[in-house]
Amino acid sequence: MTHLRRSLAPGWWSLEKGYSWTVRPRPGPHGARESLPLGLVLRNLLGYVSTLEEARKVLGAGQVKVDGKVRRDYKYPVGAMDILELVPTGERFRMLPDPVKFLRPAPLGQEDAVVKVRRIENKTVVKGGLVQLNLSDGYNVLVNDGKEYETLGSLFISLTDGKIVDYVPMKPGSYAIIVSGSNAGRHGVLKSIITTMRRREAIASIEGDGTEYRTVLDHVLMIGRDAPLIKVN
């Protein structure tokens, strides 16, 4: 089906009343339950257009970039940490997880908009002995030695040349943000990891603003060492 029943859409989607159907996101770098179609981002979150028809015309004209690439599909799934650019105005936004709205566009300066945070999901050895780091949004990076990079650690990657700018491992004492689940958007220092049978299901404890939040490790993204390397407020 090309559309989605409104009743089946995620509860955090801000949808207009009076309609039984809405846009179904296409398969892409983010899951359907944790992303919002680009057309709805332009209309509902940014107010850049007032209708989906306008959104399709704007996108068709190549006026919107996601992670540095022009996207023309109004159903393209936009998720946490994606960077949007409105070409005519030069405005840039990072999609941040939010405890109320689940996803919110945070304005960025030009320098902040050229680096994207991606999590290492797994590693594979490819032809030639190189190691391929498979990242959270489907992006891949080849490195000579994969021992330096651990699964669930975060890479800060330049959108201009695709090179690794920085790396933050998944370990207590570093700064993290929760990107999914009921505590999405909460951020602070990763205090502890309580190991279970599967590492991704371990219990992570994050302390921020004097409050402790707990979630599964699979919902956590590292974004800094002593402090966040990206703007989260």
Side-chain angles (χ1 to χ4, degrees):
M1 297 178 63
T2 59
H3 290 79
L4 179 69
R5 281 193 177 276
R6 179 192 171 113
S7 59
L8 298 178
W12 57 271
W13 284 19
S14 176
L15 299 174
E16 67 282 5
K17 296 181 179 180
Y19 293 90
S20 300
W21 299 88
T22 186
V23 181
R24 178 187 295 273
R26 293 195 193 281
H30 304 282
R33 308 299 298 182
E34 298 178 353
S35 63
L36 189 65
L38 183 53
L40 295 185
V41 172
L42 295 179
R43 187 189 67 181
N44 297 12
L45 296 188
L46 296 176
Y48 192 58
V49 297
S50 57
T51 67
L52 280 178
E53 184 63 29
E54 289 181 7
R56 297 176 72 170
K57 290 180 180 179
V58 165
L59 293 170
Q63 295 184 10
V64 179
K65 293 182 179 181
V66 180
D67 295 338
K69 296 182 178 180
V70 173
R71 297 295 179 182
R72 302 179 187 274
D73 186 359
Y74 74 109
K75 296 182 179 182
Y76 181 82
V78 176
M81 297 300 155
D82 283 353
I83 294 178
L84 274 65
E85 178 183 352
L86 306 180
V87 177
T89 65
E91 295 174 278
R92 299 172 176 86
F93 304 87
R94 190 190 308 276
M95 300 301 296
L96 291 178
D98 185 85
V100 177
K101 299 179 180 179
F102 194 81
L103 275 181
R104 63 179 172 88
L108 292 176
Q110 185 172 358
E111 293 183 0
D112 297 320
V114 296
V115 175
K116 181 175 180 180
V117 188
R118 294 176 163 111
R119 194 175 71 176
I120 302 173
E121 298 300 325
N122 55 64
K123 302 184 290 184
T124 55
V125 178
V126 298
K127 187 176 181 180
L130 296 176
V131 176
Q132 178 176 287
L133 305 179
N134 304 310
L135 309 182
S136 51
D137 60 356
Y139 193 85
N140 301 319
V141 176
L142 291 176
V143 295
N144 293 320
D145 185 2
K147 294 181 180 179
E148 177 184 353
Y149 305 101
E150 299 179 359
T151 303
L152 299 186
S154 292
L155 293 181
F156 293 71
I157 297 180
S158 169
L159 294 179
T160 56
D161 57 17
K163 294 183 178 180
I164 298 174
V165 176
D166 207 341
Y167 163 68
V168 178
M170 174 77 76
K171 67 176 184 179
S174 296
Y175 208 92
I177 188 169
I178 302 173
V179 295
S180 186
S182 59
N183 285 317
R186 307 296 184 183
H187 54 87
V189 176
L190 178 61
K191 303 298 291 185
S192 65
I193 300 174
I194 303 175
T195 306
T196 57
M197 292 289 290
R198 297 179 58 188
R199 185 173 181 234
R200 290 178 181 271
E201 297 176 357
I203 304 302
S205 174
I206 295 175
E207 185 175 312
D209 296 327
T211 303
E212 180 180 343
Y213 303 98
R214 290 197 171 192
T215 186
V216 294
L217 197 62
D218 197 38
H219 291 172
V220 176
L221 177 70
M222 306 308 298
I223 56 172
R225 297 178 181 85
D226 299 328
L229 295 174
I230 61 173
K231 295 179 180 180
V232 291
N233 292 321

